Amino acid sequence: MSDEATARRWLGKLTRLNPATGRGDCRGKAPHKPLLLLSLIDLAQEGEITSRAFTRSPNLVLRFRNYGTIVADRWPTRLEFKMPFYHLRTQGFWEAFTAEMQPATSPDTCFVCELHPEFYELLADAGFRLKARMILITKYFEPAERIAFFESLGLRAGRDGVPPIERVMKEAAEAAKRKGRSARFATRIVTEYRYTCALTGYRCFTTDGRSIVDAAHIESWSKTQNDNLDNGIALSKNAHWMFDAGLWSVDDDLRVLVNPRRFEEHGPEANRLAPFAGRHIQFDPAARLRPSVEHFRRHRAYFGFLA
């Protein structure tokens, strides 16, 4: 079979995912399978799929969950990553194994998947990836969701091979674009800061790929709608809450400022905020992003820091 015929056959498989139909509060086609495949295509584009075997990596799970926010209006229940991770084996995309590389028999026992050799080779081809994305987005998602996915991927209707999307109200389109930008922000901040909290330097993720850090906006998104990457840092849950509450900020030398007038705290020193005053914020040596000092200045001004 020619390479072109092989690609057509696998693109055809993408049109036959047979997702379940939602019930109750969930409506439309279940998004789990196309969301996982879109996430996997992202990793292939970034060069992170270097062998046929792949796992529940933090990057893969993060992308799946962030893309899930795009469909939250029509699918409000939690999206379980382990379900498509296991069940897509039945459609030939991969084989499913336990951590000990024995055949997996349930979603809970599936920790490693091995891509079909043809599908693995095709994922390395940019043209195939674009066609696969177009099929997944246009077949399994509603019009406003499609706009959000195109925005998240940096594609534009009528350009980059993306077909124009018609009959969508302007307000719905803008809301969808904001969702797409937010999903891209959440993914890139966490991954390019390498899952490391900027306040504590702590990194932790679970065996099923969940991370302790969030993508935090330096200047509040609710006030600025600014999803530029230089307006973001990765923070653990407590550090994120305290930053958004103005309990701490960062000076022009990227040192931590603490505002003791805004809080009192008790407990072991390792859990307290005050000892971080004067320390530099933390970046993994391989982190590819850095925040803007200007955004920190406006954060300080908003919360009344003197520095």
Side-chain angles (χ1 to χ4, degrees):
M1 184 177 292
S2 70
D3 290 345
E4 185 175 335
T6 300
R8 284 200 302 269
R9 182 163 59 83
W10 281 94
L11 292 172
K13 279 178 166 290
L14 294 175
T15 69
R16 300 187 296 273
L17 297 182
N18 301 319
T21 300
R23 298 179 180 179
D25 292 336
C26 298
R27 67 180 192 275
K29 298 173 182 176
H32 306 65
K33 291 178 181 178
L35 288 178
L36 177 53
L37 287 165
L38 285 169
S39 302
L40 191 68
I41 291 169
D42 283 357
L43 263 61
Q45 179 169 309
E46 294 182 3
E48 294 193 26
I49 303 296
T50 57
S51 70
R52 289 171 54 200
F54 67 99
T55 64
R56 302 183 189 182
S57 70
N59 199 351
L60 186 60
V61 175
L62 177 73
R63 290 175 184 278
F64 176 82
R65 295 190 186 283
N66 286 340
Y67 279 150
T69 64
I70 292 174
V71 301
D73 289 343
R74 69 171 177 89
W75 204 276
T77 60
R78 178 172 175 172
L79 294 171
E80 288 289 350
F81 175 88
K82 64 185 179 182
M83 303 304 287
F85 191 70
Y86 174 69
H87 287 299
L88 275 167
R89 84 198 192 288
T90 63
Q91 290 164 293
F93 290 97
W94 51 73
E95 295 182 80
F97 297 96
T98 66
E100 293 76 29
M101 294 305 294
Q102 298 299 312
T105 57
S106 71
D108 289 326
T109 62
C110 180
F111 284 92
V112 181
C113 292
E114 188 169 80
L115 292 162
H116 189 286
E118 291 178 350
F119 189 51
Y120 171 67
E121 292 295 329
L122 287 168
L123 286 175
D125 179 74
F128 177 82
R129 292 196 301 267
L130 177 60
K131 292 175 183 177
R133 281 170 166 149
M134 293 305 101
I135 287 172
L136 292 168
I137 292 170
T138 57
K139 184 170 179 62
Y140 300 106
F141 298 98
E142 297 181 352
E145 294 168 351
R146 295 173 202 165
I147 293 174
F149 279 110
F150 293 153
E151 188 72 22
S152 179
L153 293 166
L155 302 173
R156 296 292 183 272
R159 292 166 41 194
D160 306 310
V162 182
I165 298 175
E166 300 174 350
R167 298 183 301 277
V168 179
M169 295 177 62
K170 182 178 179 181
E171 293 80 3
E174 288 305 312
K177 287 180 180 180
R178 287 195 295 271
K179 278 191 176 183
R181 288 192 293 268
S182 293
R184 179 173 56 188
F185 176 89
T187 297
R188 292 194 61 188
I189 290 296
V190 172
T191 57
E192 296 194 25
Y193 280 119
R194 295 181 59 80
Y195 309 91
T196 301
C197 174
L199 177 67
T200 64
Y202 184 60
R203 176 170 61 205
C204 179
F205 41 80
T206 63
T207 55
D208 65 357
R210 288 175 293 174
S211 171
I212 198 171
V213 297
D214 299 325
H217 290 84
I218 299 171
E219 289 190 86
S220 169
W221 188 91
S222 64
K223 295 180 176 62
T224 66
Q225 283 76 57
N226 183 352
D227 275 327
N228 293 337
L229 297 182
D230 64 3
N231 188 38
I233 49 175
L235 294 175
S236 61
K237 315 303 180 183
N238 286 355
H240 190 175
W241 177 83
M242 291 187 287
F243 186 78
D244 285 350
L247 308 190
W248 67 280
S249 192
V250 177
D251 68 15
D252 284 0
D253 294 322
L254 300 184
R255 292 182 182 273
V256 174
L257 300 170
V258 172
N259 189 344
R261 296 170 297 173
R262 299 185 68 92
F263 69 97
E264 61 178 71
E265 60 182 346
H266 305 278
E269 181 170 323
N271 297 332
R272 288 160 48 204
L273 174 61
F276 286 97
R279 300 183 188 180
H280 281 107
I281 55 174
Q282 304 291 303
F283 300 114
D284 183 277
R288 292 182 287 184
L289 292 178
R290 288 295 182 271
S292 165
V293 170
E294 286 298 323
H295 294 309
F296 282 127
R297 287 175 183 165
R298 287 192 279 270
H299 180 270
R300 295 197 305 267
Y302 181 81
F303 286 107
F305 283 85
L306 299 179

